[in-house]
Amino acid sequence: PEPPVSTIKVANCAHFSDLAMLHAVLTRLYVPVSCQETQEFIISATSFSRCFCEDVVQCSVKFFFLMDCEVNVLVLMSLFVSAAQAVASCFYSSTPSMDLRPSEQG
């Protein structure tokens, strides 16, 4: 059987519009199991890119604030935390998923 393209598009639209509950319901009820792995990939990829973009924007704003104004220790510390979070999320996303799963015992 062919995947329900329109339903998948609506589910993706719900995810991109931050309607997580609607996306979960559509995926669970109307998207076949064979297509759900793609949905999980889309969710994880877009969630990572959103968080990473937010970190980069925060770092940029804090950096330019520090360049424009006098040095503020709290803003400087916040800049380092945001930068560390962005770097850590890059390292985490590049970790193979097989290394993160507990070993299955047969």
Side-chain angles (χ1 to χ4, degrees), residues 18-53:
D18 284 334
L19 301 171
M21 176 105 34
L22 178 61
H23 178 264
V25 169
L26 288 173
T27 303
R28 183 175 297 150
L29 296 179
Y30 301 110
V31 175
V33 175
S34 61
C35 301
Q36 287 187 5
E37 186 174 338
T38 307
Q39 290 293 307
E40 290 173 7
F41 174 76
I42 289 171
I43 290 172
S44 57
T46 55
S47 297
F48 168 74
S49 65
R50 277 185 189 162
C51 291
F52 186 71
C53 288

Side-chain angles (χ1 to χ4, degrees), residues 8-78:
I8 292 173
K9 286 182 179 180
V10 170
N12 288 341
C13 182
H15 172 68
F16 292 132
S17 302
D18 284 334
L19 301 171
M21 176 105 34
L22 178 61
H23 178 264
V25 169
L26 288 173
T27 303
R28 183 175 297 150
L29 296 179
Y30 301 110
V31 175
V33 175
S34 61
C35 301
Q36 287 187 5
E37 186 174 338
T38 307
Q39 290 293 307
E40 290 173 7
F41 174 76
I42 289 171
I43 290 172
S44 57
T46 55
S47 297
F48 168 74
S49 65
R50 277 185 189 162
C51 291
F52 186 71
C53 288
E54 289 173 7
D55 289 341
V56 168
V57 167
Q58 285 182 14
C59 287
S60 302
V61 167
K62 292 169 188 171
F63 177 76
F64 286 115
F65 176 81
L66 289 172
M67 294 293 288
D68 226 13
C69 304
E70 61 185 53
V71 176
N72 185 332
V73 177
L74 185 62
V75 175
L76 186 63
M77 187 174 72
S78 180

